[in-house]
Amino acid sequence: KGVYSRFTVLAGLHPELGAKGRVEFVITGDGKPLTSIILNGTDPAKLLECDVTNVSQLALSLTSRGLDPKSNYAIWAEPTLMKK
């Protein structure tokens, strides 16, 4: 807490295995939602950014939002914490 100011991460679904998927990507800080996005399998990966200045514990989670959970091959990539 107080060491880092920003967190970024790419979120997306595998272009082949996740093509029919739909997933909600959520970032929480100290149990509170910081940001979220719902992506379909054909959507390009998105950069998620959030302020973590007063956050002690950061968590990444996924929730299936599609009809075919076998296609929810979600990918988190390039997680980065930036100092103040």
Side-chain angles (χ1 to χ4, degrees), residues 43-55:
D43 295 339
K46 300 286 184 185
L47 181 67
L48 300 179
E49 302 180 67
C50 50
D51 180 358
V52 295
T53 303
N54 295 311
V55 172

Side-chain angles (χ1 to χ4, degrees), residues 17-34:
L17 300 174
K20 295 179 182 177
R22 182 175 166 87
V23 172
E24 180 178 14
F25 294 82
V26 180
I27 301 173
T28 58
D30 297 330
K32 298 175 186 171
L34 300 175

Side-chain angles (χ1 to χ4, degrees), residues 11-14 17-26 36-44 46 48 60-76:
L13 280 85
H14 188 280
L17 300 174
K20 295 179 182 177
R22 182 175 166 87
V23 172
E24 180 178 14
F25 294 82
V26 180
S36 67
I37 190 170
I38 295 176
L39 293 176
N40 295 308
T42 55
D43 295 339
K46 300 286 184 185
L48 300 179
L60 309 178
S61 63
L62 304 164
T63 302
S64 175
R65 296 292 183 207
L67 297 175
D68 184 6
K70 293 179 184 175
S71 295
N72 291 332
Y73 286 87
I75 299 170
W76 296 99

